[in-house]
Amino acid sequence: MPTHVHDRSRTGPALVAAVLFALHTVFALHNHARFRTTGYDLGIFGQAVRSWAEGRLPASEIRTATAPAGFEGEALPLLGDHFHPALALLGPVYRLVPHVEVLLVAQAALVAAAVYVTGRTAQRHLPGQPSAGPLVGVACGLAWGTQTLIGFDFHEVAFALPPLALACRAYLDGRLRTAAWWAAALLLVKEDLGATAAVFGLLIAHRVRDGRERRAGWLLAGGSVLAALLVLKVVIPGFAPDGRYLYAEQVRGANGFLDGWSVKVLTVLALLAVTGGLVVRSPLAWLLLPTLAWRFTSSVPSHWEPGLHYSAVLVPVAFAALVDAVRRGARLPVPGLRGFRAPLLVPVGAVLLLLPFQPTAQLATPGFWRESPREAAARAAVELVPNGVRVAASNTLAPHLTDRNVVWLAVPGLLDQNPMVEWLVVDRTDGFPAGAAADTLRKAAGDPTWRVVRDEAGIVLLRRCLTC
């Protein structure tokens, strides 16, 4: 390939990735500044990364609000909740810049990296279409699965996007051992991704008849299964306070699979829409099944729907599968939509049609940039909390305090713990945990050691005064 063509093919995806990185970063940081992020999950992950930065295994005081029955510690060991050692990569960054916003910027960067790789995959495998890279990159970055990740605080699955994109690209390139290494990295992101890595290994083994690539595929498949079993049966229970994997109870198998299809079908249709339905024309589509399987057999309705971050890991796979289908000559069975270009324009069109309903569409609304009385009161309240104290905070206020304090979620029982919480800051409208904000304030009102420092626009700040 001529050098100037090669350079040009990099420029389009790189520009798209850079623009989306800026867009997602601005949205995430301002959304956080508006107190639209929460202790569950940004505060929890902020405490996890702070632990890594301080040379400790990840633990969270906030997560104790829904800890297993009988837990009495101050901080829940997070490796007993989920297996996500990839978070340790943010420890050195947080040590240099000790602010929870680092997680939001890192998430935007991880998404941008996956967008760039996916765009480059399209450029490489659809050489007759100069616009393939930018088009696929735009669709990948603005797809509903990516948008829900950016719109929902921070989540460890963001670390899965670049390895998935790189593994899919290497697979399409025929670099199967490289694909296996990238897929193996998923084992360090989250425990459920071991199944995805195992399926990737089977794809590699099935693609070649002999040689080191086939052995690499079988090694990946078998190793991923063994690693997942080790994590689920030994590692997580070993760290868990009650010695078990909490989320195993949520999987109901065939019985759970039969429930909620009025919601589940929306997730499937959304996945088909953003790929023009061509995702099923590539072997890479098999990689979608493990994530869809655990979600659709779950007893938790929020796992079924397309509206949360759980679909983010589907996006790079779906668009790599789209590229694969198009390069194989797949056509849309619609009159007038023939040739290579149309199958790429259709998913972009679907993504753009869905964009007004996505989180980052708020950037175009005046209200997103206008500070409300509640936001001003919340900012004033958290600024009055001194550094280095023990704080109980409601869900939307907690992540603004985790960088400089020991922070728990404000629940009534917390006020009785020893050592005592010194400050309490609550948003009366916080709905998670249900009723906790009102009950905590009610309990503090009955304790003469608590004094109201500030009460404005529904934001209440109290200080414990033992000598008053």
Side-chain angles (χ1 to χ4, degrees):
M1 181 182 294
T3 301
H4 71 280
V5 176
H6 179 74
D7 290 342
R8 182 182 63 186
S9 66
R10 288 180 181 273
T11 301
L15 182 60
V16 169
V19 170
L20 288 173
F21 170 69
L23 179 78
H24 292 157
T25 299
V26 169
F27 170 81
L29 292 179
H30 193 66
N31 198 52
H32 175 65
R34 298 179 65 222
F35 294 85
R36 293 298 192 271
T37 55
T38 57
Y40 275 66
D41 286 333
L42 182 59
I44 292 173
F45 284 116
Q47 291 176 331
V49 172
R50 182 177 175 179
S51 298
W52 285 116
E54 295 173 352
R56 298 181 287 111
L57 290 176
S60 171
E61 291 83 6
I62 292 174
R63 182 63 179 81
T64 62
T66 52
F71 177 75
E72 296 180 351
E74 287 204 351
L76 189 78
L78 290 178
L79 291 179
D81 187 41
H82 288 298
F83 186 72
H84 40 47
L87 285 175
L89 295 173
L90 292 181
V93 183
Y94 187 92
R95 191 173 182 87
L96 292 173
V97 186
H99 298 288
V100 75
E101 288 86 350
V102 162
L103 280 69
L104 301 175
V105 176
Q107 181 166 262
L110 291 165
V111 169
V115 166
Y116 172 74
V117 172
T118 304
R120 287 288 291 143
T121 301
Q123 288 284 39
R124 182 177 182 84
H125 292 282
L126 303 175
Q129 302 180 60
S131 61
L135 283 177
V136 171
V138 167
C140 180
L142 296 180
W144 54 275
T146 309
Q147 290 290 292
T148 51
L149 175 65
I150 294 295
F152 183 77
D153 289 15
F154 171 89
H155 204 272
E156 75 263 62
V157 297
F159 280 97
L161 271 60
L164 277 169
L166 287 162
C168 289
R169 178 179 174 178
Y171 178 86
L172 296 183
D173 290 348
R175 297 177 289 115
L176 301 183
R177 282 186 294 164
T178 302
W181 279 112
W182 282 119
L186 299 175
L187 298 172
L188 301 177
V189 176
K190 196 164 179 276
E191 66 276 3
D192 60 273
L193 290 170
T196 302
V199 171
F200 213 128
L202 294 177
L203 285 180
I204 292 171
H206 179 74
R207 181 167 171 172
V208 291
R209 296 297 178 187
D210 51 36
R212 289 179 293 180
E213 288 85 359
R214 185 176 178 84
R215 288 195 293 273
W218 285 117
L219 182 61
L220 175 63
S224 296
V225 171
L226 291 175
L229 289 174
L230 180 65
V231 166
L232 293 173
K233 298 295 185 180
V234 178
V235 177
I236 292 180
F239 283 100
D242 57 354
R244 62 192 179 94
Y245 179 52
L246 172 65
Y247 304 98
E249 299 175 354
Q250 296 178 354
V251 179
R252 297 177 54 205
N255 292 332
F257 185 77
L258 297 175
D259 295 335
W261 272 99
S262 59
V263 177
K264 293 172 183 176
V265 72
L266 296 177
T267 300
V268 175
L269 290 176
L271 187 60
L272 293 173
V274 296
T275 59
L278 297 181
V279 63
V280 297
R281 302 288 295 275
S282 167
L284 290 174
W286 289 102
L287 298 176
L288 304 173
L289 296 184
T291 295
L292 292 176
W294 78 256
R295 289 174 59 185
F296 287 179
T297 57
S298 171
S299 60
V300 181
S302 62
H303 291 162
W304 309 337
E305 62 187 52
L308 289 178
H309 55 276
Y310 303 109
S311 295
V313 296
L314 304 176
V315 174
V317 173
F319 282 99
L322 171 64
V323 170
D324 185 32
V326 173
R327 75 167 183 165
R328 291 167 180 262
R331 303 289 193 275
L332 287 169
V334 180
L337 295 181
R338 301 194 179 278
F340 283 122
R341 191 175 302 274
L344 296 184
L345 292 177
V346 168
V348 173
V351 165
L352 294 179
L353 283 174
L354 293 172
L355 189 58
F357 307 99
Q358 303 304 332
T360 54
Q362 298 175 56
L363 288 167
T365 62
F368 184 76
W369 303 101
R370 189 182 303 122
E371 185 174 70
S372 69
R374 170 195 168 272
E375 292 161 15
R379 182 166 294 103
V382 297
E383 288 176 353
L384 287 174
V385 178
N387 295 345
V389 297
R390 300 165 64 86
V391 186
S394 59
N395 198 31
T396 56
L397 304 177
H400 293 265
L401 293 160
T402 55
D403 295 331
R404 55 191 180 91
N405 300 106
V406 183
V407 182
W408 288 266
L409 212 60
V411 293
L414 182 67
L415 302 186
D416 297 327
Q417 80 170 23
N418 187 27
M420 292 184 293
V421 170
E422 303 163 85
W423 288 79
L424 175 62
V425 56
V426 174
D427 181 347
R428 296 181 189 273
T429 64
D430 261 336
F432 179 84
D439 290 345
T440 305
L441 286 176
R442 191 177 302 114
K443 184 167 186 176
D447 184 341
T449 65
W450 286 103
R451 294 288 185 268
V452 176
V453 176
R454 182 184 176 91
D455 187 350
E456 184 177 344
I459 309 296
V460 186
L461 174 66
L462 300 96
R463 179 184 181 182
R464 193 188 291 270
C465 182
L466 298 176
T467 58
C468 297

